[in-house]
Amino acid sequence: MSDLKWQVNVSASEVSARELQLIHRRDRHGRTQRGPLIGPHLPGYISRQKLFDDLVVQQLQSIETSFPQLNQVEVVVEEAPRSDPAPWERDSIRLGRAFSADRKAGLPSRIVLFRLPISDRCDGPAGLSELIRLVLVENLSALFGCSPEDIDPSI
């Protein structure tokens, strides 16, 4: 009962001092993290998701120079494909999917890239960038009904 009365009468500055004492009590031996492990100027600071998204944007910009119809397509990155694949997809792991536009629902054409299956098949950023480009070109060719060489002559 006396503790409750004491807490009601404490001023704001004393509460913050009390909270600091509790924090200090929990960290008696200095075993917790004192600051960020990696500084923002180091390459490890960028998350894998952000790195993957940056590579996708970079590949989209380079493909757009040779294939201007790309601005009609929405590109989405998801972590992994859904756990209930279509019957024709059961034997393989999907790296990406292409969805044609649905005019009734007002949805544009979409390409979905799956980050984890693509990342698992690459050793470094150069291979990852190349595989992202290959998956994008493959899905664009399926979406527009043309050969991959029409979209990207370097393939």
Side-chain angles (χ1 to χ4, degrees):
M1 187 73 172
S2 62
D3 288 337
L4 181 61
K5 187 175 182 182
W6 179 80
Q7 288 179 356
V8 171
N9 295 330
V10 172
S11 67
S13 62
E14 292 176 28
V15 170
S16 61
R18 173 110 172 111
E19 289 174 356
L20 288 175
Q21 287 175 350
L22 290 175
I23 291 170
H24 180 69
R25 192 177 312 151
R26 273 185 256 138
D27 186 22
R28 289 191 302 235
H29 302 287
R31 293 185 181 138
T32 60
Q33 180 180 347
R34 294 186 179 154
L37 293 176
I38 298 176
H41 60 283
L42 297 173
Y45 186 74
I46 300 171
S47 68
R48 293 178 186 155
Q49 293 89 354
K50 176 76 171 128
L51 177 67
F52 189 87
D53 291 345
D54 291 345
L55 288 173
V56 169
V57 168
Q58 182 182 27
Q59 292 301 326
L60 286 171
Q61 289 172 346
S62 67
I63 292 172
E64 191 175 26
T65 58
S66 63
F67 193 70
Q69 292 93 335
L70 183 61
N71 62 7
Q72 303 169 3
V73 178
E74 181 180 85
V75 177
V76 180
V77 174
E78 290 185 1
E79 291 297 306
R82 294 182 1 205
S83 61
D84 55 341
W88 59 88
E89 296 175 336
R90 293 193 197 281
D91 296 333
S92 64
I93 297 174
R94 300 292 296 183
L95 301 179
R97 292 190 72 182
F99 298 97
S100 59
D102 187 1
R103 305 286 179 221
K104 291 180 182 177
L107 295 173
S109 300
R110 287 175 291 147
I111 293 177
V112 179
L113 299 176
F114 300 118
R115 185 182 68 82
L116 292 176
I118 292 174
S119 298
D120 287 345
R121 283 159 180 71
C122 299
D123 291 332
L128 182 62
S129 180
E130 185 178 324
L131 186 58
I132 288 171
R133 185 177 191 89
L134 186 64
V135 172
L136 279 171
V137 168
E138 179 183 297
N139 284 302
L140 280 170
S141 67
L143 199 60
F144 285 100
C146 58
S147 69
E149 290 82 18
D150 294 339
I151 297 170
D152 186 13
S154 65
I155 290 183

